[in-house]
Amino acid sequence: MNENTDIIIVEQLTKKFGNFTAVDHISFRVHRGEIFGFLGANGAGKTTAMKILCGLSLPTSGGGTVNGYDLCREQEKIKRHIGYMSQKFSLYADLKVWENIRLFGGIYGLSGKRIRQKSDEMLRYLNMTDLRDELVGDLPLGWKQKLAFSIALIHEPAIVFLDEPTGGVDPETRRLFWDLICETAEAGTTIFVTTHYMDEAEYCDRVSIMVDGVIADLDTPAALKQRHQAADMDAVFRKLAYQAKRE
Amino acid sequence: MVLLYLLEKEFKQFFRDPGLPKMAIAFPVLMMLVFPFAVSMEIRNVDLVVVDSNRSVASSKLVESCTASGYFNLVEVCDDPARAMQLMDRNKADAILTIESDFDRCLERGEALPVGVKVNTINGTKGSIGAGYLTSCIQRYYAENAPTQPTTAAAGPQLDVSSKYYFNTYLDYKKFMVPALIVIAITMLTGFFPALNIVSEKERGTIEQINVTPVNRGAFILCKLIPYWLVAFFVLTACLLIARWVFGYTCAGSVGLMYFFTAGNILVTAGMGLLISNYSDNAQQAMFVTWFFMMVFMLVSGIFTPIASMPGWAQAITYLNPMRYYADAMRGIYIKGSSLADVWTDAAGLLTIGAAMVSWAILSYKKTN
């Protein structure tokens, strides 16, 4: 029960939609500063669980804390300290690159001066300085994802949630994107990431695999491979995910 | 201030949209230039068939005096009543004037004229007004052509009623419709735009990105309202200028008061648009529901038909209709020059409904569900 070492503490978290239990009494912890991979087949309950952690959805029962704030009562406080980037690309396509940065900086309460400073830094870091006046809708997907990730970090959150951040991008961009994630983690930000690419799971410090709304296993990639006698994470995932009973 | 950043975003998005700014300009202009002529309720061009069995100088003078009034199109003069009926059945005639064979003799003797009027009342208003025109034409003709003292009129005292029309002295229907068209233009634009705005954020997924930030939901909704306030003021200004330059009408009352009521009306329409979009998942749904309410509001607003002639229960419903208050106030101010003291009930009704709509819109917008 140490909130200094664990940024996410979840106990018996459950979400039901009518008769369907999307998330079934899950409990786990995420340590500060780690890259936590949150895996599972489509429909296993990953996105639902992640939405609860981000304060977008209320649990049916159970609860927990994110950065010390209660999941059931302090969603708006949680939102101040997290970043979020969803699988559905979610910057404003009809705003320019600098305007998107300015908008989200403003929403998180950064001063005008700080926003200008931040956007210069960010664009230089992403090699996008020449693109600052482009409409975001005109950028290639890989650039959009990188920009969305950086904007999710604009207020220097303690933890950033990435919901399938690399869906639909080419392998090279995917690798560059993970460089970005690793650098961010080294700088001290906790990363909570869902993905369907098992090679990406290897980059995570610890990985949990959800099957049918419960966490089937949770450990470091090395320990998981050993326990399930598998050569790589792909094999681990297949072994666990094929136990699934529900469609 | 978060508010300023959000406002900046809304304005940029509005002006960058390929359609919205053009629509905001084209819509009021079309409304004001086309509709005052098209939606006229004055009855003209009543198709008239005459069955003249008399064929005298007197009877053709009667026909002439009817057509000279300008309200009738003379389709045909025939002898056979069956032929006239046939024309009416085929929708070629709105009214049939039958002149009997002893018409000229009766006229000379000052007896009641043997004429008959048949009217097609599929469109009741057109029918009854057409019949009224026709009878008054015949009466005028009788008064001018009958021998000096008609014997039948000897009984009873003569009443001479003179009417004086106030406010819209010439009963100009266009002048009556101009403020109503302003009401329609503003209500339509400011009802649809905000509804589509939030739904499109839902469809694109950007609303999720907003919901995961600590932004205040009241500020978010308010920033969606403010641009439409300006759109509405722009539309009102454009309409007033067109009314002045094209039709030569001016507002009899305070123009400022018209802006005040328009501001109040935005609370209602934009609030409602946002409310509907909160409950809709896609644009079609939002469009359809908004359209439904707009239709109902318009039909029972008193814009086209007077509320006073509706049945009691329908009149009761109109009190829930924000457009009733807005239309009543705008017409009152524009045509009669009503002051706030005259239309304060309208203001109260409009603002109450508006406050309810906006509060509901904010409360039903949930960042966490």
Side-chain angles (χ1 to χ4, degrees):
Chain A
M1 272 297 172
N2 192 342
E3 281 174 6
N4 290 322
T5 60
D6 292 333
I7 191 162
I8 297 179
I9 302 173
V10 166
E11 299 287 348
Q12 302 292 319
L13 195 72
T14 304
K15 179 82 181 185
K16 289 185 182 172
F17 298 105
N19 289 327
F20 178 72
T21 309
V23 176
D24 194 359
H25 298 90
I26 61 170
S27 305
F28 66 93
R29 280 152 192 256
V30 175
H31 309 316
R32 259 179 214 281
E34 73 175 339
I35 301 179
F36 187 86
F38 199 57
L39 311 188
N42 288 329
K46 285 177 309 191
T47 303
T48 311
M50 190 146 158
K51 282 195 169 166
I52 297 175
L53 295 177
C54 294
L56 286 175
S57 176
L58 277 172
T60 312
S61 67
T65 59
V66 172
N67 204 32
Y69 299 108
D70 192 278
L71 280 176
C72 305
R73 283 177 283 113
E74 298 175 304
Q75 291 101 354
E76 293 303 300
K77 281 186 186 154
I78 288 177
K79 286 171 187 174
R80 259 174 219 291
H81 297 93
I82 61 166
Y84 173 79
M85 177 194 160
S86 112
Q87 78 192 101
K88 216 168 152 191
F89 176 71
S90 47
L91 294 178
Y92 287 96
D94 48 359
L95 293 183
K96 293 173 183 168
V97 169
W98 70 271
E99 289 167 343
N100 266 290
I101 301 175
R102 184 175 153 81
L103 171 66
F104 285 100
I107 285 177
Y108 283 109
L110 271 59
S111 70
K113 196 178 143 214
R114 184 95 185 95
I115 291 172
R116 273 191 296 280
Q117 194 185 335
K118 266 273 174 194
S119 41
D120 287 346
E121 256 173 48
M122 190 187 296
L123 292 173
R124 215 175 314 122
Y125 183 69
L126 296 174
N127 280 322
M128 286 175 70
T129 311
D130 296 341
L131 300 173
R132 59 175 273 132
D133 288 321
E134 292 285 317
L135 289 180
V136 163
D138 297 339
L139 296 179
L141 185 64
W143 291 96
K144 284 185 196 168
Q145 307 280 66
K146 284 200 283 185
L147 184 65
F149 177 66
S150 304
I151 287 180
L153 294 169
I154 196 166
H155 54 303
E156 294 165 7
I159 178 168
V160 58
F161 291 87
L162 308 174
D163 190 3
E164 293 176 28
T166 53
V169 297
D170 63 78
E172 176 60 10
T173 314
R174 216 143 63 74
R175 204 185 52 74
L176 290 173
F177 194 85
W178 271 91
D179 287 346
L180 212 58
I181 293 179
C182 293
E183 280 166 36
T184 310
E186 269 159 38
T189 310
T190 310
I191 312 278
F192 186 103
V193 57
T194 75
T195 179
H196 284 305
Y197 298 106
M198 288 307 134
D199 59 321
E200 292 184 351
E202 309 271 0
Y203 296 122
C204 299
D205 293 314
R206 289 195 307 145
V207 170
S208 82
I209 297 176
M210 257 187 112
V211 178
D212 287 350
V214 299
I215 291 181
D217 209 345
L218 190 166
D219 215 324
T220 61
L224 283 173
K225 279 184 273 191
Q226 200 184 15
R227 191 178 313 148
H228 297 281
Q229 290 157 359
D232 51 19
M233 280 307 293
D234 196 44
V236 175
F237 185 78
R238 281 169 201 277
K239 273 194 175 166
L240 290 170
Y242 284 168
Q243 300 164 357
K245 287 180 189 65
R246 75 187 188 200
E247 285 295 307
Chain B
M1 271 300 278
V2 181
L3 221 60
L4 292 179
Y5 289 104
L6 288 171
L7 268 182
E8 186 183 324
K9 154 190 175 288
E10 294 298 336
F11 276 108
K12 279 181 176 156
Q13 287 186 305
F14 179 82
F15 285 110
R16 264 177 212 165
D17 189 283
L20 296 185
K22 286 177 206 150
M23 241 165 87
I25 293 175
F27 198 66
V29 171
L30 280 178
M31 285 286 272
M32 290 298 290
L33 292 182
V34 177
F35 279 64
F37 301 100
V39 299
S40 169
M41 293 269 184
E42 286 170 332
I43 304 292
R44 282 180 183 275
N45 304 325
V46 178
D47 291 327
L48 179 70
V49 171
V50 179
V51 181
D52 189 354
S53 313
N54 189 230
R55 295 282 180 181
S56 63
V57 178
S59 70
S60 50
K61 264 178 88 180
L62 172 63
V63 174
E64 206 184 289
S65 86
C66 288
T67 50
S69 69
Y71 294 109
F72 299 100
N73 290 334
L74 188 60
V75 178
E76 199 175 309
V77 180
C78 58
D79 303 312
D80 183 10
R83 160 83 186 146
M85 223 30 234
Q86 218 175 22
L87 283 170
M88 187 178 273
D89 288 344
R90 275 196 249 130
N91 229 358
K92 295 257 164 46
D94 296 314
I96 302 175
L97 174 66
T98 316
I99 305 173
E100 299 295 344
S101 52
D102 54 350
F103 176 77
D104 51 350
R105 258 182 296 134
C106 291
L107 183 68
E108 274 165 33
R109 287 198 224 116
E111 287 170 10
L113 290 180
V115 290
V117 173
K118 276 187 199 148
V119 185
N120 177 352
T121 49
I122 288 178
N123 179 339
T125 320
K126 190 173 183 182
S128 58
I129 293 180
Y133 288 159
L134 206 49
T135 4
S136 66
C137 281
I138 297 168
Q139 275 165 358
R140 193 162 359 107
Y141 174 82
Y142 185 73
E144 285 164 9
N145 295 288
T148 37
Q149 264 306 324
T151 45
T152 43
Q158 288 261 325
L159 260 178
D160 191 12
V161 180
S162 81
S163 339
K164 175 160 170 49
Y165 300 113
Y166 284 97
F167 308 123
N168 186 359
T169 325
Y170 302 107
L171 302 182
D172 181 349
Y173 198 75
K174 289 192 207 73
K175 184 165 188 181
F176 181 63
M177 283 315 283
V178 159
L181 290 171
I182 296 177
V183 167
I184 293 174
I186 289 177
T187 310
M188 295 281 270
L189 279 182
T190 56
F192 278 106
F193 282 5
L196 290 178
N197 183 311
I198 285 206
V199 167
S200 84
E201 290 225 17
K202 271 190 190 176
E203 285 181 333
R204 289 180 199 151
T206 47
I207 200 148
E208 203 176 53
Q209 197 67 47
I210 291 290
N211 287 345
V212 83
T213 69
V215 72
N216 176 283
R217 61 182 184 179
F220 186 66
I221 293 282
L222 192 66
C223 289
K224 297 256 174 222
L225 280 182
I226 291 172
Y228 301 108
W229 241 311
L230 297 184
V231 170
F233 286 162
F234 169 79
V235 171
L236 176 58
T237 313
C239 289
L240 288 174
L241 289 177
I242 292 174
R244 182 163 191 166
W245 292 335
V246 178
F247 301 105
Y249 302 142
T250 46
C251 175
S254 142
V255 175
L257 201 54
M258 289 185 91
Y259 281 87
F260 168 77
F261 271 96
T262 300
N265 187 57
I266 303 301
L267 286 184
V268 176
T269 54
M272 192 183 78
L274 296 171
L275 183 60
I276 288 172
S277 64
N278 281 344
Y279 287 101
S280 310
D281 296 321
N282 54 54
Q284 285 99 320
Q285 220 178 6
M287 281 291 269
F288 187 78
V289 178
T290 312
W291 177 246
F292 172 79
F293 279 107
M294 290 290 165
M295 275 315 266
V296 174
F297 283 174
M298 233 183 270
L299 288 177
V300 293
S301 62
I303 285 181
F304 300 110
T305 49
I307 290 175
S309 49
M310 293 178 190
W313 58 267
Q315 285 194 33
I317 291 176
T318 65
Y319 286 105
L320 294 173
N321 180 1
M323 218 170 174
R324 168 212 166 110
Y325 302 109
Y326 185 43
D328 184 59
M330 293 291 270
R331 259 190 188 143
I333 298 164
Y334 195 80
I335 301 175
K336 280 200 294 191
S338 304
S339 66
L340 189 56
D342 302 314
V343 288
W344 71 271
T345 47
D346 288 327
L350 200 60
L351 292 179
T352 310
I353 296 176
M357 289 281 188
V358 173
S359 318
W360 191 0
I362 292 176
L363 288 177
S364 64
Y365 169 49
K366 290 212 167 56
K367 287 178 67 190
T368 303
N369 42 44

